[in-house]
Coordinates of all heavy atoms in Angstrom, one line a residue:
M1 N 0.9 -1.2 0.0 CA 0.0 0.0 0.0 C 0.9 1.2 0.0 O 1.8 1.3 0.7 CB -0.9 0.0 1.3 CG -1.8 1.1 1.3 SD -2.9 0.9 2.7 CE -4.0 2.1 2.5
F2 N 0.5 2.2 -0.8 CA 1.3 3.5 -0.9 C 0.5 4.6 -0.3 O -0.6 4.9 -0.8 CB 1.6 3.7 -2.4 CG 2.5 4.8 -2.6 CD1 3.9 4.8 -2.3 CD2 2.1 6.0 -3.2 CE1 4.8 5.8 -2.5 CE2 2.9 7.0 -3.4 CZ 4.3 7.0 -3.0
N3 N 1.0 5.2 0.8 CA 0.4 6.3 1.4 C 0.7 7.7 0.7 O 1.8 8.1 0.8 CB 0.8 6.4 2.9 CG 0.1 7.4 3.8 OD1 -0.8 8.1 3.2 ND2 0.4 7.5 5.0
V4 N -0.3 8.2 0.1 CA -0.1 9.4 -0.6 C -0.7 10.7 0.1 O -0.5 11.8 -0.4 CB -0.8 9.4 -2.0 CG1 -0.3 8.3 -2.9 CG2 -2.4 9.1 -1.9
K5 N -1.2 10.5 1.3 CA -1.8 11.5 2.1 C -0.7 12.6 2.3 O -1.0 13.8 2.2 CB -2.3 11.0 3.4 CG -2.9 12.2 4.2 CD -3.5 11.6 5.5 CE -4.2 12.7 6.3 NZ -4.8 12.4 7.6
N6 N 0.5 12.3 2.7 CA 1.6 13.2 2.9 C 1.8 14.1 1.7 O 2.1 15.3 1.8 CB 2.8 12.6 3.4 CG 2.7 12.0 4.8 OD1 1.8 12.5 5.6 ND2 3.5 11.0 5.2
L7 N 1.9 13.5 0.6 CA 2.1 14.2 -0.6 C 1.0 15.4 -0.9 O 1.3 16.5 -1.3 CB 2.0 13.3 -1.9 CG 3.1 12.2 -1.9 CD1 2.9 11.3 -3.1 CD2 4.5 12.8 -2.0
F8 N -0.3 15.0 -0.7 CA -1.3 16.1 -0.8 C -1.3 17.1 0.3 O -1.5 18.2 0.1 CB -2.7 15.3 -0.9 CG -2.9 14.6 -2.2 CD1 -2.7 13.2 -2.2 CD2 -3.1 15.3 -3.3 CE1 -2.9 12.5 -3.4 CE2 -3.3 14.5 -4.5 CZ -3.2 13.2 -4.5
Q9 N -0.9 16.6 1.5 CA -0.8 17.5 2.6 C 0.3 18.5 2.5 O 0.1 19.7 2.8 CB -0.6 16.6 3.9 CG -0.7 17.5 5.2 CD -0.7 16.5 6.5 OE1 -0.4 15.3 6.3 NE2 -1.0 17.1 7.6
D10 N 1.4 18.1 2.0 CA 2.6 18.9 1.8 C 2.2 20.0 0.7 O 2.8 21.1 0.8 CB 3.8 18.1 1.3 CG 4.3 17.2 2.5 OD1 3.9 17.5 3.5 OD2 5.1 16.4 2.0
Q11 N 1.3 19.7 -0.2 CA 0.9 20.7 -1.2 C -0.3 21.5 -0.8 O -0.7 22.4 -1.6 CB 0.7 20.0 -2.5 CG 1.9 19.2 -3.1 CD 1.6 18.5 -4.3 OE1 1.0 19.1 -5.2 NE2 2.0 17.3 -4.4
G12 N -0.8 21.2 0.3 CA -2.1 21.9 0.8 C -3.3 21.6 0.1 O -4.2 22.4 0.0
W13 N -3.4 20.4 -0.4 CA -4.6 20.0 -1.1 C -5.6 19.1 -0.3 O -6.7 18.8 -0.8 CB -4.1 19.1 -2.4 CG -3.4 19.8 -3.4 CD1 -3.0 21.1 -3.4 CD2 -3.1 19.3 -4.7 NE1 -2.4 21.4 -4.6 CE2 -2.5 20.3 -5.4 CE3 -3.3 18.0 -5.3 CZ2 -1.9 20.0 -6.7 CZ3 -2.8 17.8 -6.6 CH2 -2.2 18.8 -7.3
L14 N -5.4 18.9 0.9 CA -6.4 18.1 1.7 C -7.7 18.7 1.8 O -8.7 18.0 1.8 CB -5.7 17.8 3.1 CG -4.6 16.8 3.1 CD1 -4.2 16.6 4.6 CD2 -5.0 15.5 2.5
G15 N -7.8 20.1 1.7 CA -9.1 20.7 1.8 C -10.0 20.4 0.6 O -11.2 20.3 0.7
Y16 N -9.4 20.1 -0.5 CA -10.2 19.6 -1.7 C -10.8 18.3 -1.5 O -12.0 18.1 -1.9 CB -9.3 19.5 -3.0 CG -8.8 21.0 -3.3 CD1 -7.5 21.3 -3.3 CD2 -9.7 21.9 -3.9 CE1 -7.0 22.5 -3.6 CE2 -9.2 23.2 -4.2 CZ -7.9 23.4 -4.1 OH -7.5 24.7 -4.5
F17 N -10.2 17.4 -0.8 CA -10.8 16.1 -0.5 C -11.9 16.3 0.5 O -12.9 15.6 0.5 CB -9.7 15.2 0.1 CG -8.8 14.8 -1.0 CD1 -7.5 15.3 -1.1 CD2 -9.1 13.8 -2.0 CE1 -6.7 15.0 -2.1 CE2 -8.3 13.4 -2.9 CZ -7.0 14.0 -3.0
D18 N -11.8 17.3 1.4 CA -12.9 17.5 2.3 C -14.1 18.0 1.6 O -15.2 17.6 1.9 CB -12.5 18.6 3.4 CG -11.5 18.1 4.3 OD1 -11.4 16.8 4.5 OD2 -10.7 18.9 4.9
I19 N -13.9 18.8 0.5 CA -15.1 19.3 -0.3 C -15.8 18.1 -1.0 O -17.0 18.0 -1.0 CB -14.6 20.2 -1.4 CG1 -14.1 21.5 -0.7 CG2 -15.6 20.5 -2.4 CD1 -13.4 22.5 -1.7
L20 N -15.0 17.2 -1.4 CA -15.6 15.9 -2.1 C -16.4 15.1 -1.2 O -17.3 14.5 -1.5 CB -14.5 15.1 -2.7 CG -13.7 15.7 -3.9 CD1 -12.6 14.8 -4.2 CD2 -14.6 15.9 -5.1
N21 N -16.0 15.1 0.2 CA -16.7 14.4 1.1 C -17.8 15.2 1.9 O -18.3 14.8 3.0 CB -15.8 13.7 2.1 CG -14.9 12.8 1.5 OD1 -15.3 12.0 0.7 ND2 -13.6 12.8 1.8
G22 N -18.2 16.3 1.3 CA -19.2 17.2 1.9 C -20.5 16.7 1.8 O -20.8 15.6 1.4
P23 N -21.5 17.6 2.2 CA -22.9 17.2 2.2 C -23.4 16.9 0.8 O -23.0 17.5 -0.1 CB -23.6 18.2 2.9 CG -22.7 19.4 2.7 CD -21.3 18.9 2.6
V24 N -24.2 15.9 0.7 CA -24.9 15.6 -0.6 C -26.4 15.7 -0.4 O -26.9 15.0 0.6 CB -24.5 14.1 -1.0 CG1 -25.3 13.8 -2.3 CG2 -23.0 14.1 -1.3
Y25 N -27.0 16.5 -1.1 CA -28.5 16.8 -0.9 C -29.3 15.8 -1.8 O -29.8 16.3 -2.8 CB -28.7 18.2 -1.1 CG -28.0 19.1 -0.2 CD1 -26.8 19.7 -0.6 CD2 -28.4 19.3 1.1 CE1 -26.0 20.5 0.2 CE2 -27.5 20.1 2.0 CZ -26.4 20.6 1.5 OH -25.7 21.4 2.4
T26 N -29.4 14.6 -1.5 CA -30.0 13.7 -2.4 C -31.5 14.0 -2.7 O -32.0 13.8 -3.8 CB -30.0 12.2 -1.8 OG1 -30.5 12.2 -0.5 CG2 -28.5 11.7 -1.8
K27 N -32.3 14.4 -1.7 CA -33.7 14.7 -1.9 C -33.8 16.0 -2.9 O -34.6 16.0 -3.7 CB -34.3 15.0 -0.6 CG -34.7 13.8 0.2 CD -35.4 14.1 1.4 CE -35.7 12.8 2.2 NZ -36.4 13.1 3.4
L28 N -32.9 17.0 -2.7 CA -32.9 18.2 -3.5 C -32.6 17.8 -5.0 O -33.2 18.2 -5.9 CB -31.9 19.2 -3.0 CG -31.8 20.5 -3.6 CD1 -33.1 21.2 -3.5 CD2 -30.5 21.3 -3.2
V29 N -31.6 17.0 -5.1 CA -31.2 16.5 -6.5 C -32.3 15.7 -7.1 O -32.6 15.8 -8.3 CB -29.9 15.7 -6.5 CG1 -29.5 15.1 -7.8 CG2 -28.7 16.6 -6.0
K30 N -33.0 14.8 -6.3 CA -34.1 14.0 -6.9 C -35.2 14.9 -7.3 O -35.8 14.7 -8.3 CB -34.5 13.1 -5.8 CG -35.6 12.1 -6.2 CD -36.0 11.2 -5.1 CE -37.2 10.3 -5.5 NZ -37.6 9.5 -4.4
D31 N -35.5 15.9 -6.5 CA -36.7 16.8 -6.8 C -36.3 17.7 -8.1 O -37.1 17.9 -9.0 CB -36.9 17.8 -5.7 CG -37.7 17.1 -4.6 OD1 -38.2 16.0 -4.8 OD2 -37.7 17.6 -3.5
L32 N -35.0 18.1 -8.2 CA -34.6 18.8 -9.4 C -34.8 18.0 -10.7 O -35.4 18.5 -11.6 CB -33.1 19.2 -9.3 CG -32.5 19.9 -10.4 CD1 -32.8 21.5 -10.3 CD2 -31.1 19.8 -10.5
W33 N -34.3 16.8 -10.7 CA -34.4 16.0 -11.9 C -35.8 15.5 -12.1 O -36.2 15.3 -13.3 CB -33.4 14.7 -11.8 CG -32.1 15.2 -12.0 CD1 -31.0 15.1 -11.0 CD2 -31.4 15.8 -13.1 NE1 -29.9 15.7 -11.5 CE2 -30.1 16.0 -12.8 CE3 -31.9 16.0 -14.4 CZ2 -29.2 16.6 -13.7 CZ3 -31.1 16.6 -15.3 CH2 -29.7 16.8 -15.0
K34 N -36.7 15.3 -11.1 CA -37.9 14.9 -11.3 C -38.8 16.0 -12.0 O -39.7 15.6 -12.8 CB -38.6 14.6 -9.9 CG -39.9 14.0 -9.9 CD -40.4 13.5 -8.5 CE -39.9 14.4 -7.4 NZ -40.5 13.8 -6.1
R35 N -38.4 17.2 -11.9 CA -39.2 18.3 -12.4 C -38.6 18.9 -13.8 O -39.0 19.9 -14.3 CB -39.3 19.4 -11.5 CG -40.1 19.1 -10.2 CD -40.2 20.3 -9.3 NE -41.0 20.1 -8.2 CZ -40.6 19.7 -7.1 NH1 -39.3 19.4 -6.8 NH2 -41.5 19.5 -6.1
C36 N -37.4 18.2 -14.3 CA -36.8 18.8 -15.4 C -37.5 18.5 -16.7 O -38.2 17.5 -16.9 CB -35.4 18.3 -15.5 SG -35.2 16.6 -16.1
D37 N -37.2 19.5 -17.6 CA -37.7 19.4 -19.0 C -36.6 19.7 -20.0 O -35.8 20.5 -19.6 CB -38.9 20.4 -19.3 CG -40.2 20.1 -18.6 OD1 -40.6 19.0 -18.6 OD2 -40.7 21.1 -17.9
I38 N -36.6 19.0 -21.1 CA -35.5 19.3 -22.1 C -36.2 20.3 -23.0 O -37.2 20.0 -23.5 CB -35.1 18.0 -22.8 CG1 -34.7 16.9 -21.9 CG2 -34.1 18.3 -23.8 CD1 -33.6 17.2 -21.0
F39 N -35.5 21.4 -23.3 CA -36.0 22.5 -24.1 C -35.1 22.6 -25.3 O -33.9 23.0 -25.1 CB -36.0 23.8 -23.3 CG -36.9 24.9 -23.9 CD1 -38.2 24.8 -23.8 CD2 -36.2 25.9 -24.5 CE1 -39.0 25.8 -24.4 CE2 -37.0 26.9 -25.1 CZ -38.4 26.9 -25.0
T40 N -35.6 22.2 -26.5 CA -34.8 22.1 -27.7 C -35.0 23.4 -28.6 O -36.0 24.2 -28.3 CB -35.1 20.9 -28.5 OG1 -36.5 20.9 -28.8 CG2 -34.8 19.6 -27.6
Q41 N -34.4 23.4 -29.7 CA -34.6 24.5 -30.7 C -36.0 24.4 -31.1 O -36.7 25.4 -31.4 CB -33.6 24.3 -31.9 CG -33.8 25.4 -32.9 CD -33.5 26.8 -32.4 OE1 -32.4 27.1 -31.9 NE2 -34.3 27.7 -32.4
E42 N -36.5 23.2 -31.4 CA -37.9 23.0 -31.8 C -38.9 23.6 -30.8 O -39.9 24.3 -31.2 CB -38.1 21.5 -32.0 CG -39.6 21.2 -32.6 CD -39.8 19.7 -32.8 OE1 -38.8 19.0 -32.8 OE2 -41.0 19.3 -32.8
D43 N -38.7 23.3 -29.5 CA -39.5 23.9 -28.4 C -39.4 25.4 -28.5 O -40.4 26.0 -28.3 CB -39.1 23.3 -27.0 CG -39.2 21.8 -27.0 OD1 -40.3 21.3 -27.4 OD2 -38.3 21.2 -26.4
A44 N -38.2 25.9 -28.7 CA -38.1 27.4 -28.7 C -38.8 28.0 -29.8 O -39.5 29.1 -29.7 CB -36.5 27.8 -28.7
D45 N -38.8 27.3 -31.0 CA -39.5 27.8 -32.2 C -41.0 27.9 -31.9 O -41.7 28.8 -32.2 CB -39.1 27.0 -33.4 CG -37.7 27.2 -33.8 OD1 -37.1 28.2 -33.4 OD2 -37.3 26.3 -34.6
K46 N -41.5 26.7 -31.4 CA -43.0 26.7 -31.0 C -43.3 27.7 -30.0 O -44.4 28.4 -30.2 CB -43.3 25.3 -30.4 CG -43.3 24.2 -31.4 CD -43.6 22.8 -30.8 CE -43.5 21.7 -31.7 NZ -43.7 20.4 -31.0
E47 N -42.6 27.9 -29.0 CA -42.8 28.9 -27.9 C -42.9 30.3 -28.6 O -43.8 31.1 -28.4 CB -41.7 28.9 -26.9 CG -42.0 30.0 -25.8 CD -40.8 29.9 -24.8 OE1 -39.6 30.0 -25.3 OE2 -41.1 29.8 -23.6
Y48 N -42.0 30.6 -29.5 CA -41.9 31.9 -30.2 C -43.1 32.1 -31.1 O -43.8 33.1 -31.1 CB -40.7 32.0 -31.1 CG -40.5 33.3 -31.8 CD1 -40.1 34.5 -31.2 CD2 -40.9 33.3 -33.2 CE1 -40.1 35.7 -32.0 CE2 -40.9 34.5 -33.9 CZ -40.4 35.7 -33.3 OH -40.4 36.9 -34.0
N49 N -43.5 31.0 -31.9 CA -44.6 31.1 -32.8 C -45.9 31.3 -32.1 O -46.8 32.0 -32.6 CB -44.6 29.9 -33.7 CG -43.5 29.9 -34.7 OD1 -42.9 30.9 -35.1 ND2 -43.1 28.7 -35.1
N50 N -46.0 30.6 -31.0 CA -47.3 30.8 -30.1 C -47.4 32.2 -29.6 O -48.5 32.7 -29.6 CB -47.2 29.8 -28.9 CG -47.5 28.4 -29.4 OD1 -48.0 28.1 -30.5 ND2 -47.1 27.4 -28.6
K51 N -46.3 32.8 -29.2 CA -46.3 34.1 -28.7 C -46.7 35.1 -29.8 O -47.4 36.0 -29.6 CB -44.9 34.5 -28.1 CG -44.9 35.7 -27.3 CD -45.7 35.5 -26.0 CE -45.5 36.6 -25.1 NZ -46.3 36.6 -23.8
V52 N -46.2 34.9 -31.0 CA -46.5 35.8 -32.1 C -48.0 35.6 -32.5 O -48.6 36.6 -32.7 CB -45.6 35.5 -33.4 CG1 -46.1 36.1 -34.6 CG2 -44.1 35.8 -33.1
A53 N -48.4 34.3 -32.4 CA -49.8 34.1 -32.8 C -50.9 34.8 -31.8 O -52.0 35.0 -32.2 CB -50.1 32.6 -32.8
E54 N -50.4 35.0 -30.6 CA -51.3 35.7 -29.6 C -51.7 37.1 -30.2 O -52.8 37.5 -29.8 CB -50.6 35.9 -28.3 CG -50.4 34.6 -27.5 CD -49.7 34.9 -26.2 OE1 -49.3 35.9 -25.8 OE2 -49.3 33.8 -25.6
N55 N -50.8 37.8 -30.8 CA -51.1 39.1 -31.4 C -50.2 39.4 -32.6 O -49.2 40.1 -32.4 CB -50.8 40.2 -30.2 CG -51.3 41.5 -30.7 OD1 -51.5 41.8 -31.9 ND2 -51.4 42.4 -29.7
P56 N -50.5 38.7 -33.7 CA -49.7 38.8 -34.8 C -49.3 40.2 -35.4 O -48.2 40.5 -35.7 CB -50.4 38.0 -35.9 CG -51.5 37.3 -35.2 CD -51.8 38.0 -33.9
E57 N -50.2 41.1 -35.2 CA -50.0 42.4 -35.7 C -48.9 43.2 -35.0 O -48.0 43.8 -35.5 CB -51.4 43.2 -35.6 CG -51.4 44.4 -36.5 CD -52.8 45.0 -36.5 OE1 -53.7 44.3 -37.0 OE2 -52.9 46.2 -36.1
N58 N -48.9 42.9 -33.6 CA -47.8 43.7 -32.8 C -46.6 42.8 -32.6 O -45.5 43.4 -32.3 CB -48.5 44.1 -31.5 CG -49.5 45.1 -31.5 OD1 -49.4 46.0 -32.4 ND2 -50.5 45.1 -30.7
N59 N -46.7 41.5 -32.6 CA -45.6 40.6 -32.2 C -44.7 40.2 -33.3 O -43.6 39.8 -33.1 CB -46.1 39.4 -31.5 CG -46.7 39.8 -30.1 OD1 -46.5 40.9 -29.6 ND2 -47.4 38.8 -29.5
R60 N -45.2 40.2 -34.6 CA -44.4 39.7 -35.7 C -43.1 40.5 -35.9 O -43.2 41.7 -35.8 CB -45.3 39.8 -37.0 CG -44.6 39.1 -38.2 CD -45.4 39.0 -39.4 NE -46.5 37.9 -39.1 CZ -47.7 38.0 -39.1 NH1 -48.3 39.2 -39.4 NH2 -48.6 37.0 -38.9
G61 N -42.1 39.8 -36.1 CA -40.7 40.5 -36.3 C -40.0 40.8 -35.0 O -38.9 41.3 -35.1
K62 N -40.6 40.7 -33.9 CA -39.9 41.0 -32.6 C -39.1 39.9 -32.2 O -39.2 38.7 -32.5 CB -40.9 41.3 -31.5 CG -41.7 42.6 -31.7 CD -42.6 42.9 -30.5 CE -43.2 44.2 -30.7 NZ -44.1 44.6 -29.6
S63 N -38.0 40.2 -31.4 CA -37.1 39.2 -30.8 C -37.7 38.5 -29.7 O -38.7 38.9 -29.1 CB -35.8 39.9 -30.4 OG -36.1 40.7 -29.2
R64 N -37.1 37.4 -29.2 CA -37.6 36.6 -28.2 C -37.7 37.5 -26.9 O -38.6 37.5 -26.1 CB -36.8 35.4 -27.9 CG -36.9 34.4 -28.9 CD -36.0 33.1 -28.6 NE -36.3 32.5 -27.3 CZ -37.4 31.6 -27.2 NH1 -38.1 31.2 -28.3 NH2 -37.6 31.1 -26.0
T65 N -36.6 38.3 -26.6 CA -36.6 39.2 -25.5 C -37.7 40.2 -25.5 O -38.4 40.5 -24.5 CB -35.2 39.9 -25.4 OG1 -34.2 38.9 -25.5 CG2 -35.1 40.8 -24.2
E66 N -37.9 40.8 -26.7 CA -39.0 41.8 -26.9 C -40.3 41.2 -26.5 O -41.3 41.9 -26.1 CB -38.9 42.4 -28.2 CG -37.7 43.3 -28.5 CD -37.7 43.7 -29.9 OE1 -38.0 42.9 -30.9 OE2 -37.2 44.9 -30.1
L67 N -40.5 39.9 -26.8 CA -41.8 39.2 -26.5 C -41.9 38.7 -25.0 O -42.8 38.0 -24.7 CB -42.0 38.1 -27.5 CG -42.2 38.5 -28.9 CD1 -42.1 37.2 -29.8 CD2 -43.4 39.3 -29.1
G68 N -40.8 38.9 -24.2 CA -40.8 38.5 -22.9 C -40.4 37.1 -22.7 O -40.6 36.4 -21.7
L69 N -39.7 36.5 -23.7 CA -39.3 35.1 -23.6 C -37.8 35.1 -23.3 O -37.1 36.1 -23.7 CB -39.5 34.4 -25.0 CG -41.0 34.4 -25.4 CD1 -41.0 33.8 -26.9 CD2 -41.8 33.5 -24.6
R70 N -37.3 34.0 -22.7 CA -35.8 33.9 -22.5 C -35.1 33.7 -23.7 O -35.6 32.9 -24.6 CB -35.6 32.8 -21.4 CG -36.1 33.1 -20.1 CD -35.6 32.1 -19.1 NE -35.9 30.7 -19.3 CZ -35.7 29.7 -18.5 NH1 -35.4 30.0 -17.2 NH2 -36.0 28.5 -18.8
E71 N -33.9 34.2 -23.8 CA -33.0 34.0 -24.9 C -32.8 32.4 -25.1 O -32.7 31.7 -24.1 CB -31.7 34.7 -24.8 CG -31.8 36.2 -25.2 CD -32.3 36.4 -26.6 OE1 -31.9 35.8 -27.5 OE2 -33.2 37.3 -26.8
F72 N -32.6 31.9 -26.3 CA -32.3 30.5 -26.5 C -31.1 30.4 -27.5 O -31.2 31.0 -28.5 CB -33.5 29.8 -27.0 CG -33.2 28.4 -27.3 CD1 -33.4 27.5 -26.3 CD2 -32.8 27.8 -28.5 CE1 -33.2 26.1 -26.5 CE2 -32.6 26.6 -28.7 CZ -32.7 25.6 -27.7
T73 N -30.1 29.8 -27.0 CA -28.8 29.6 -27.8 C -28.5 28.1 -28.0 O -27.8 27.8 -29.0 CB -27.7 30.3 -27.2 OG1 -27.5 29.8 -25.9 CG2 -27.9 31.8 -27.2
E74 N -29.0 27.3 -27.1 CA -28.7 25.8 -27.3 C -29.7 25.0 -26.5 O -30.4 25.5 -25.6 CB -27.3 25.5 -26.8 CG -27.0 25.8 -25.3 CD -25.6 25.6 -24.9 OE1 -25.1 24.4 -25.1 OE2 -25.0 26.5 -24.3
T75 N -29.7 23.7 -26.6 CA -30.6 22.8 -25.9 C -30.4 22.9 -24.3 O -29.2 23.1 -23.9 CB -30.4 21.4 -26.3 OG1 -30.7 21.2 -27.7 CG2 -31.3 20.4 -25.5
E76 N -31.4 23.0 -23.6 CA -31.3 23.3 -22.2 C -32.1 22.2 -21.4 O -33.1 21.7 -21.9 CB -32.0 24.6 -21.8 CG -31.3 25.8 -22.5 CD -32.0 27.1 -22.3 OE1 -33.2 27.0 -21.8 OE2 -31.5 28.2 -22.5
I77 N -31.7 21.9 -20.3 CA -32.4 21.3 -19.2 C -32.9 22.2 -18.3 O -32.2 23.0 -17.7 CB -31.5 20.2 -18.5 CG1 -30.9 19.2 -19.5 CG2 -32.3 19.5 -17.4 CD1 -29.9 18.2 -18.8
R78 N -34.2 22.4 -18.2 CA -34.9 23.4 -17.3 C -35.6 22.7 -16.2 O -36.3 21.7 -16.4 CB -35.8 24.2 -18.2 CG -35.2 25.1 -19.2 CD -36.2 25.9 -19.9 NE -35.6 26.9 -20.9 CZ -36.4 27.7 -21.5 NH1 -37.7 27.7 -21.4 NH2 -35.8 28.6 -22.4
S79 N -35.4 23.2 -15.0 CA -36.0 22.7 -13.9 C -36.2 23.8 -12.8 O -35.8 24.9 -13.0 CB -35.2 21.6 -13.3 OG -35.9 20.9 -12.2
G80 N -36.8 23.4 -11.7 CA -36.9 24.4 -10.7 C -37.0 23.7 -9.3 O -37.4 22.5 -9.3
C81 N -36.4 24.3 -8.3 CA -36.3 23.6 -7.0 C -36.3 24.7 -5.9 O -35.5 25.7 -6.1 CB -35.1 22.7 -7.0 SG -35.3 21.5 -5.9
T82 N -37.0 24.6 -4.9 CA -36.9 25.5 -3.8 C -37.2 27.0 -4.2 O -36.6 27.9 -3.7 CB -35.7 25.3 -2.9 OG1 -34.6 25.8 -3.7 CG2 -35.5 24.0 -2.4
G83 N -38.0 27.1 -5.2 CA -38.3 28.5 -5.7 C -37.3 29.1 -6.7 O -37.5 30.3 -7.0
Y84 N -36.3 28.4 -7.1 CA -35.3 28.9 -8.0 C -35.4 28.1 -9.3 O -35.6 26.9 -9.5 CB -34.0 28.6 -7.4 CG -33.6 29.5 -6.3 CD1 -33.7 28.9 -5.0 CD2 -33.2 30.8 -6.4 CE1 -33.5 29.7 -3.8 CE2 -32.9 31.6 -5.3 CZ -33.1 31.0 -4.0 OH -32.8 31.7 -2.9
E85 N -35.3 28.9 -10.4 CA -35.3 28.3 -11.7 C -33.8 27.9 -12.1 O -32.9 28.6 -11.7 CB -35.7 29.3 -12.8 CG -37.1 29.6 -12.9 CD -37.5 30.5 -14.0 OE1 -36.7 30.7 -15.0 OE2 -38.7 31.0 -14.0
V86 N -33.7 26.6 -12.5 CA -32.4 26.1 -12.9 C -32.3 25.7 -14.3 O -33.2 25.1 -14.8 CB -32.1 24.9 -12.0 CG1 -30.8 24.2 -12.3 CG2 -32.2 25.1 -10.5
T87 N -31.2 26.2 -15.0 CA -31.0 25.9 -16.5 C -29.6 25.4 -16.5 O -28.7 25.9 -16.1 CB -31.1 27.2 -17.3 OG1 -32.4 27.7 -17.1 CG2 -31.0 26.8 -18.8
I88 N -29.6 24.1 -17.2 CA -28.3 23.5 -17.3 C -28.1 23.3 -18.9 O -29.0 22.9 -19.5 CB -28.3 22.1 -16.7 CG1 -28.6 22.2 -15.2 CG2 -27.0 21.3 -17.0 CD1 -28.8 20.9 -14.5
T89 N -27.0 23.7 -19.3 CA -26.6 23.6 -20.7 C -25.3 23.0 -20.9 O -24.5 22.9 -19.9 CB -26.6 25.0 -21.4 OG1 -25.5 25.7 -20.9 CG2 -27.9 25.8 -21.3
Q90 N -24.9 22.6 -22.1 CA -23.6 21.9 -22.4 C -22.5 22.9 -22.0 O -21.5 22.5 -21.5 CB -23.6 21.4 -23.7 CG -22.2 20.6 -24.0 CD -22.2 20.0 -25.4 OE1 -23.2 20.0 -26.0 NE2 -21.1 19.4 -25.7
T91 N -22.7 24.2 -22.4 CA -21.6 25.2 -22.2 C -21.5 25.5 -20.7 O -20.5 25.9 -20.2 CB -21.8 26.4 -23.0 OG1 -23.1 27.0 -22.7 CG2 -21.7 26.2 -24.5

């Protein structure tokens, strides 16, 4: 067996291992994933078209932001937990 603890201790890295062994909020994570939706480009287009269809005369040609919609640049995992909106993207 090779004891590497001293190597990490000498470099001041033991704190990082404490972070890894910190609290895990399994119920919070479970609730987050249980409520998640995948929001794709197709969904964003539908959302935009529905908003334009509400008032075509005033809404046609406006940006997503001008219509009160969130910007969309890539596929998102959207969820909410404890009153907060959570968006996860690849970037």
Side-chain angles (χ1 to χ4, degrees):
M1 180 176 192
F2 187 69
N3 185 0
V4 296
K5 182 177 180 180
N6 290 338
L7 298 173
F8 291 102
Q9 188 172 11
D10 292 344
Q11 296 177 51
W13 288 11
L14 287 182
Y16 294 109
F17 291 99
D18 292 336
I19 292 170
L20 293 174
N21 294 320
V24 176
Y25 303 98
T26 53
K27 288 183 180 182
L28 184 65
V29 172
K30 182 180 176 183
D31 287 344
L32 177 85
W33 286 113
K34 187 168 41 174
R35 293 181 174 95
C36 77
D37 292 310
I38 307 299
F39 195 76
T40 64
Q41 182 66 56
E42 183 180 341
D43 297 318
D45 293 342
K46 285 180 188 177
E47 181 183 52
Y48 178 82
N49 291 334
N50 288 340
K51 193 69 170 177
V52 170
E54 289 177 6
N55 189 342
E57 202 171 294
N58 289 329
N59 291 346
R60 187 170 286 120
K62 290 186 177 179
S63 70
R64 291 182 62 82
T65 306
E66 290 172 324
L67 293 174
L69 303 173
R70 294 194 302 195
E71 284 299 319
F72 180 83
T73 56
E74 63 182 306
T75 299
E76 301 173 343
I77 298 172
R78 292 182 176 181
S79 187
C81 204
T82 65
Y84 293 97
E85 287 185 14
V86 177
T87 302
I88 302 170
T89 64
Q90 185 173 356
T91 55

